């Protein structure tokens, strides 16, 4: 189903009821009182304590039959769909099956491998942790699986093949030494031959077959770093047009660029941003304007963006503003000072779209996530919890928030902690946050991470 056409065409149809989400599976669920594994590193007298099992990346492949997760310990874990493998019978029998009936999706653990180890940049005396920042599936070939994974500095290309009774992951290529700042995005091109990697100031274009050379296509670094006013926060290729890509910034804008226009694409971009509302600017508007994630819809007509307060849906043919805005954290507006004090205001939540383009989703605090309907006129706004009983009362949608320009300025962090409450008066725990989630490419199925646990739901 074409996602973009569905959104437009659906405006003339009766609205669909909100989906009823059901628990499907959980992997890595902790028992009550069980602690997440911690690792201490006293290298050069520095003590870094981090939970290596916490999931830091989730990605379905294009078929939806495979799912990959990465964690803060540098491991990649692969899962395989099992409930579709035993469907037998003749073609006539299969055609009798009502395809609208919800199947219970089932995945099983397939294999895992150590993708990244801790690194040390001796030139900068900087330790780089092995945390997997992003995973992207590549095209399969001869029943082998291929994927890219990256930590802050190094991208690796993996091939997973069957070997007798087990699966073996082999690193085919390492793409390193091309970024001075932490890599926040990697994205495959639809041509199947190239991909991009992005850090705060640069976007590089790679050929999958060439690991020792990349081309810098976006560079926002000013001649004087004191003049720096924005950074790149996320980047993604268009799903079908190999010459188009989009990237977002800490100023709350999205730039759509065409690789055919210029070798360096900084000034050759179509810009999407929401105009500043007069009299609405405050100390926090510049911080909460920063976009933490962008995703193209399946057909490439729409771009979904997540900033701290909202989800926004943009039509790439309309640069006057978003076509829809979904409130996620409006109830936290009175608590922005507290969230700034405990550093939560800088949390980077991801977003995703359903394969049919009718719904969008993103995470929140207290291990909650939100699902919104995209059909014009839809009021679907469901709040779910990453647990075996996901359904919760929806948070009322307040008025549209004000927006303004922003910078990357971040004042020294402070240590105060303060609880918040949602619109229903429920306590919000900002220490438990659902940052990472993914929507199955062709079914209403969502995978999301709550600390070290992978939860899966279907509707």
């Amino acid at each position: 189903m074409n996602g973009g056409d569905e959104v437009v065409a659906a405006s003339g149809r009766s609205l669909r009821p909100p989906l009823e989400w059901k628990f499907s599976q959980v992997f890595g669920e902790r028992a009550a009182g069980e602690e997440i594994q911690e690792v201490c590193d006293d290298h050069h007298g520095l003590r870094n304590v981090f939970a290596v099992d916490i999931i830091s990346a989730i990605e379905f492949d294009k078929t939806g039959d495979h799912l990959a997760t990465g964690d803060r310990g540098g491991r990649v874990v692969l899962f395989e769909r099992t409930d579709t493998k035993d469907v037998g019978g003749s073609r006539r029998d299969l055609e009798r099956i009502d395809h609208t009936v919800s199947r219970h999706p089932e995945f099983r653990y397939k294999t895992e491998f150590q993708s990244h180890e801790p690194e040390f940049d001796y030139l900068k005396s900087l330790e780089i942790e092995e945390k997997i920042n992003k995973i992207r599936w590549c095209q399969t070939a001869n029943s082998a699986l291929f994927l890219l994974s990256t930590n802050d500095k190094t991208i690796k290309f993996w091939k997973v093949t069957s070997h007798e009774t087990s699966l073996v992951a082999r690193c085919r290529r390492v793409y390193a030494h091309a970024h001075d700042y932490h890599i926040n995005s990697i994205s495959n091109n639809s041509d199947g031959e190239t991909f991009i990697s992005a850090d705060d100031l640069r976007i590089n274009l790679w050929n999958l077959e060439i690991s020792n050379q990349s081309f810098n296509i976006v560079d926002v670094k000013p001649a004087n770093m004191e003049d720096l006013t924005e950074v790149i926060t996320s980047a993604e290729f268009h799903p079908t047009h190999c010459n188009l890509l989009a990237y977002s910034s800490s100023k709350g804008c999205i730039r759509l660029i065409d690789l055919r226009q210029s070798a360096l694409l900084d000034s050759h971009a179509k810009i999407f941003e929401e105009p500043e509302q007069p009299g609405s600017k405050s100390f926090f508007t510049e911080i909460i304007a920063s976009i933490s994630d962008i995703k193209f819809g399946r057909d490439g007509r729409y771009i979904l963006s997540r900033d701290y307060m909202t989800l926004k849906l943009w039509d790439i043919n309309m640069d006057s503003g978003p076509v829809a805005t979904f409130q996620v954290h409006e109830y936290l507006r009175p608590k922005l000072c507290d969230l700034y004090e405990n550093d939560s205001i800088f949390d980077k939540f991801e977003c995703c779209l359903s394969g049919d383009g009718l719904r969008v989703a993103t995470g929140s605090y207290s291990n909650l996530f939100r699902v919104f309907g995209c059909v014009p006129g839809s009021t679907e706004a469901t709040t779910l919890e990453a647990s075996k009983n996901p359904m919760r009362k929806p948070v009322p949608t307040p008025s549209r928030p004000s927006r303004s320009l922003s910078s990357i300025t971040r004042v020294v962090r402070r240590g105060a902690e303060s609880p918040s409450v949602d619109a229903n008066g429920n306590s919000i725990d900002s220490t438990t946050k659902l940052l990472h989630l993914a929507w199955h490419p062709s079914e209403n199925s969502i995978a999301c991470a709550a600390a070290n646990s992978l939860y899966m739901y279907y509707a």
Side-chain angles (χ1 to χ4, degrees):
M1 183 182 299
N2 185 300
D5 291 345
E6 181 69 13
V7 168
V8 174
S11 61
R13 299 205 306 256
S14 59
L15 297 177
R16 301 184 181 185
L19 294 177
E20 182 178 347
W21 292 91
K22 303 177 182 66
F23 170 78
S24 177
Q25 286 174 285
V26 58
F27 296 92
E29 185 179 33
R30 283 182 292 154
E34 182 183 354
E35 295 297 326
I36 296 175
Q37 178 184 351
E38 292 187 342
V39 173
C40 298
D41 182 5
D42 293 320
H43 188 79
H44 286 262
L46 298 176
R47 180 177 175 85
N48 293 321
V49 180
F50 55 94
V52 298
D53 290 333
I54 291 180
I55 296 172
S56 55
I58 301 177
E59 184 82 359
F60 282 104
D61 71 350
K62 287 187 176 181
T63 67
D65 290 337
H66 296 94
L67 177 70
T69 65
D71 66 24
R72 292 179 62 177
R75 291 169 297 181
V76 171
V77 182
L78 303 184
F79 301 88
E80 181 181 41
R81 183 84 177 258
T82 60
D83 60 295
T84 60
K85 290 188 173 298
D86 298 326
V87 178
S90 66
R91 178 176 178 179
R92 180 176 297 178
D93 292 335
L94 295 174
E95 288 175 347
R96 290 196 188 107
I97 299 175
D98 183 0
H99 68 278
T100 62
V101 175
S102 293
R103 263 192 319 233
H104 188 301
E106 293 182 3
F107 283 77
R108 69 179 177 189
Y109 168 88
K110 189 175 179 71
T111 191
E112 68 180 73
F113 54 91
Q114 190 70 33
S115 176
H116 286 72
E117 302 284 354
E119 305 174 45
F120 191 79
D121 188 334
Y122 290 95
L123 294 177
K124 298 182 179 179
S125 297
L126 176 68
E127 185 154 19
I128 303 164
E129 67 178 38
E130 61 268 43
K131 178 175 77 79
I132 303 298
N133 289 344
K134 297 290 180 182
I135 295 173
R136 292 292 180 262
W137 290 91
C138 303
Q139 294 180 357
T140 59
N142 299 323
S143 74
L145 302 175
F146 296 88
L147 52 86
L148 290 166
S149 62
T150 186
N151 67 350
D152 286 342
K153 293 291 185 180
T154 304
I155 307 160
K156 295 185 178 181
F157 182 47
W158 293 91
K159 179 181 181 180
V160 182
T161 57
S162 297
H163 182 68
E164 296 179 351
T165 60
S166 62
L167 290 169
V168 177
R170 292 187 173 89
C171 184
R172 297 285 302 274
R173 286 176 192 85
V174 177
Y175 313 89
H177 312 300
H179 288 276
D180 291 330
Y181 300 90
H182 292 175
I183 298 171
N184 57 48
S185 304
I186 52 175
S187 179
N188 306 85
N189 198 343
S190 60
D191 64 11
E193 299 176 356
T194 57
F195 70 94
I196 54 171
S197 59
D199 65 24
D200 286 352
L201 301 182
R202 303 182 71 175
I203 299 178
N204 294 330
L205 177 67
W206 303 82
N207 189 299
L208 280 168
E209 301 295 325
I210 303 171
S211 61
N212 61 355
Q213 182 184 39
S214 64
F215 297 94
N216 178 220
I217 57 175
V218 173
D219 190 342
V220 300
K221 184 178 181 179
N224 184 347
M225 283 294 284
E226 293 182 357
D227 297 329
L228 183 65
T229 60
E230 69 177 325
V231 296
I232 298 166
T233 56
S234 183
E236 185 169 271
F237 262 118
H238 190 282
T240 58
H241 297 325
C242 61
N243 56 294
L244 295 178
L245 64 94
Y247 70 93
S248 59
S249 86
S250 57
K251 279 193 170 181
C253 67
I254 301 169
R255 291 175 173 85
L256 182 69
I257 57 180
D258 191 333
L259 293 171
R260 299 172 299 187
Q261 291 185 340
S262 173
L264 196 61
L265 302 166
D266 303 24
S267 59
H268 298 77
K270 188 174 184 179
I271 300 177
F272 303 90
E273 58 185 338
E274 196 164 21
E276 180 179 354
Q277 300 296 321
S280 64
K281 191 170 184 178
S282 73
F283 172 80
F284 298 111
T285 53
E286 295 189 348
I287 300 173
I288 63 177
S290 180
I291 295 174
S292 56
D293 190 27
I294 59 170
K295 292 289 194 313
F296 273 102
R298 192 171 184 176
D299 70 343
R301 178 174 173 180
Y302 294 91
I303 299 175
L304 181 67
S305 68
R306 171 70 201 266
D307 56 48
Y308 190 73
M309 304 296 285
T310 68
L311 278 172
K312 290 185 173 69
L313 191 66
W314 308 79
D315 186 331
I316 66 172
N317 299 319
M318 296 171 53
D319 55 7
S320 57
V323 294
T325 299
F326 309 97
Q327 306 294 347
V328 181
H329 281 164
E330 181 63 19
Y331 61 88
L332 293 178
R333 192 172 292 276
K335 296 288 185 179
L336 290 180
C337 185
D338 297 328
L339 294 162
Y340 174 78
E341 294 282 340
N342 66 25
D343 232 20
S344 296
I345 201 171
F346 302 104
D347 288 334
K348 301 182 185 304
F349 293 92
E350 295 178 358
C351 59
C352 57
L353 301 92
S354 61
D356 57 17
L358 298 180
R359 293 174 176 87
V360 297
T362 192
S364 183
Y365 294 109
S366 299
N367 288 338
L368 303 180
F369 62 103
R370 310 287 313 277
V371 177
F372 299 92
C374 288
V375 176
S378 173
T379 58
E380 180 175 357
T382 306
T383 300
L384 303 110
E385 181 179 35
S387 70
K388 292 183 178 179
N389 183 22
M391 294 300 292
R392 290 170 61 94
K393 294 181 180 179
V395 176
T397 301
S399 59
R400 183 188 182 103
S402 60
R403 311 296 298 128
S404 71
L405 299 177
S406 70
S407 71
I408 63 166
T409 305
R410 175 172 175 172
V411 185
V412 178
R413 62 176 294 180
R414 305 178 180 116
E417 295 278 346
S418 177
S420 301
V421 294
D422 64 17
N424 294 324
N426 299 315
S427 177
I428 293 295
D429 180 4
S430 62
T431 64
T432 57
K433 57 198 73 173
L434 198 152
L435 301 176
H436 311 288
L437 75 171
W439 202 301
H440 189 282
S442 59
E443 299 177 9
N444 286 323
S445 176
I446 289 178
C448 59
N452 65 316
S453 301
L454 174 67
Y455 286 90
M456 306 190 73
Y457 304 96
Y458 71 103

